[in-house]
């Protein structure tokens, strides 16, 4: 379970709430969020994300990740320019931000 007072994610129950409101995530959106949370604070490369979510035959399809993370950020109210939860490491991958403290 991740809870920062605003975003609550229970991976076991597949529940996501933002400011107390339930957020409905698609299967791939939830899978990406779970992958990032399970590796919080660490950079997950685009090829790793693609292998985990779409399989080995899609490791070059980086646009899949861009589209999916855009949808996930929108649902979480996250801004790519000033991220609260999902940081982009240019040319490398994504990282779930544990704290802005």
């Amino acid at each position: 379970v991740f809870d920062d007072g605003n975003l609550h994610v229970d991976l076991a129950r597949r529940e996501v709430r933002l400011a107390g409101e339930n957020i409905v995530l698609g299967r791939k959106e939830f899978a990406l969020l779970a992958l990032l949370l399970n590796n919080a604070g660490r950079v997950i490369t685009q090829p790793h994300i693609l292998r985990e979510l779409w399989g080995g035959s899609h490791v070059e399809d980086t646009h899949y990740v861009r589209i999916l993370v855009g949808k996930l950020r929108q649902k979480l109210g996250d801004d790519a320019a000033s991220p609260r939860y999902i940081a982009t490491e240019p040319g490398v991958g994504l990282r779930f931000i544990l704290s802005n403290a």
Side-chain angles (χ1 to χ4, degrees):
V1 175
F2 171 83
D3 194 331
D4 70 352
N6 185 54
L7 177 65
H8 174 89
V9 181
D10 186 332
L11 295 175
R13 293 184 177 187
R14 204 180 182 287
E15 293 177 349
V16 180
R17 289 193 311 270
L18 184 65
E21 298 292 320
N22 285 330
I23 303 296
V24 177
L25 297 181
R27 188 171 49 89
K28 295 279 191 206
E29 292 166 340
F30 187 82
L32 176 59
L33 181 59
L35 178 64
L36 292 171
L37 272 173
N38 284 328
N39 295 280
R42 291 184 279 182
V43 175
I44 306 301
T45 65
Q46 288 185 359
H48 182 86
I49 293 168
L50 287 161
R51 255 191 319 277
E52 288 289 320
L53 273 60
W54 285 279
S57 63
H58 293 279
V59 293
E60 300 297 321
D61 297 329
T62 56
H63 61 284
Y64 285 15
V65 176
R66 284 193 301 274
I67 293 167
L68 186 63
V69 76
K71 289 179 180 181
L72 183 57
R73 279 183 172 136
Q74 184 178 17
K75 288 183 178 183
L76 298 181
D78 206 15
D79 179 8
S82 181
R84 180 173 182 175
Y85 300 113
I86 302 171
T88 298
E89 302 291 337
V92 182
L94 302 171
R95 177 175 47 87
F96 190 85
I97 302 168
L98 285 174
S99 172
N100 287 333

